[in-house]
Amino acid sequence: MSSNPVRFPRTSPYWPVVSHPLLRRVLPGLAVSALGDGMAVVAVIWLAVELAPSGQRETWIALAVAAYTLPSAAGTVLFARLLRGRGSP
């Protein structure tokens, strides 16, 4: 063993982000938000499985996931021209 241990976190490419004071306060909230988004997708799929007739589960799951995700994709396309060129706050 070497007498000088290697510090993994400081050599990581993510270290500047994790060590930034402002981002360190925001990252836990982003993690909880991402967890909630994932749980929402699971809930939509689970509901589709529960409501679907036995021979049509795949179709109902596909339609449920499409109904969950397509509004954001459509909003991106519809509002792109209106929001183009605007900077962030």
Side-chain angles (χ1 to χ4, degrees):
M1 285 179 68
S2 67
S3 60
N4 192 2
V6 176
R7 294 184 179 186
F8 172 73
R10 293 189 192 269
T11 60
S12 170
Y14 301 109
W15 180 253
V17 174
V18 175
S19 65
H20 192 278
L22 180 62
L23 291 176
R24 194 177 354 192
R25 291 185 303 195
V26 174
L27 285 176
L30 290 174
V32 170
S33 177
L35 180 64
D37 290 343
M39 290 172 63
V41 170
V42 170
V44 166
I45 293 171
W46 195 340
L47 182 62
V49 167
E50 291 292 321
L51 295 176
S54 63
Q56 297 178 339
R57 285 192 174 150
E58 296 85 4
T59 304
W60 279 57
I61 291 171
L63 290 173
V65 171
Y68 181 77
T69 57
L70 283 179
S72 63
T76 302
V77 172
L78 292 173
F79 294 118
R81 184 176 295 180
L82 176 66
L83 298 175
R84 187 169 290 136
R86 297 183 187 262
S88 61

